[in-house]
Amino acid sequence: MSGIRIPADLQPWVDARKRFHLSDAQVQMARELGLNPKKFGGLANHRQEPWKLPLPQYIEHLYFKHFGKQKPDIVISIEERVRQIAAKKLARREAKRERQIQVTTDREHSDS
């Protein structure tokens, strides 16, 4: 994955996506619904309990029922979300560093 370190709170979603063959949109829907990826095993046993929907269709059904639309307006993968978080964090660090530099230069000029 080209050097992307997935945070511990998002790793279960990556594992669930692989294990249950979910798309990025279905993972995002499940996250927005507040589902727990560690509990997907109990939801995904439609072969043993034929009355259950397969997990991907169940997530889509719940999402439509709750939000009234088929899928999220903007679908972002977990990896892209991690990149966005890292970029935002870097921008905040840079802004803080700029503020600190500005404060120190202002102090030096006022002391003179």
Side-chain angles (χ1 to χ4, degrees):
M1 278 196 325
S2 70
I4 299 174
R5 187 183 161 280
I6 306 294
D9 61 327
L10 295 177
Q11 188 60 48
W13 289 104
V14 173
D15 297 341
R17 182 181 62 194
K18 290 177 186 174
R19 181 174 176 201
F20 299 107
H21 306 287
L22 301 174
S23 69
D24 290 329
Q26 291 162 342
V27 169
Q28 186 171 336
M29 287 185 232
R31 290 187 68 215
E32 289 178 18
L33 287 166
L35 298 180
N36 184 350
K38 296 174 184 174
K39 304 288 184 178
F40 282 176
L43 297 172
N45 61 354
H46 64 279
R47 289 188 182 93
Q48 294 172 347
E49 300 171 356
W51 64 89
K52 286 188 175 181
L53 282 174
L55 182 60
Q57 286 84 10
Y58 180 65
I59 291 171
E60 291 170 358
H61 170 75
L62 284 179
Y63 190 84
F64 183 76
K65 187 176 173 183
H66 190 271
F67 294 104
K69 53 186 179 179
Q70 295 294 326
K71 62 178 187 149
D73 296 330
I74 300 171
V75 176
I76 301 173
S77 70
I78 297 292
E79 292 80 10
E80 184 59 34
R81 181 76 179 123
V82 169
R83 284 187 205 99
Q84 287 177 350
I85 291 169
K88 184 176 179 182
K89 195 174 193 178
L90 182 63
R92 290 178 64 199
R93 282 184 187 162
E94 290 296 323
K96 183 177 180 180
R97 187 178 323 151
E98 290 295 323
R99 285 193 308 269
Q100 288 174 342
I101 290 171
Q102 185 64 34
V103 167
T104 56
T105 57
D106 288 348
R107 284 183 186 164
E108 290 173 357
H109 290 297
S110 65
D111 290 342
S112 304

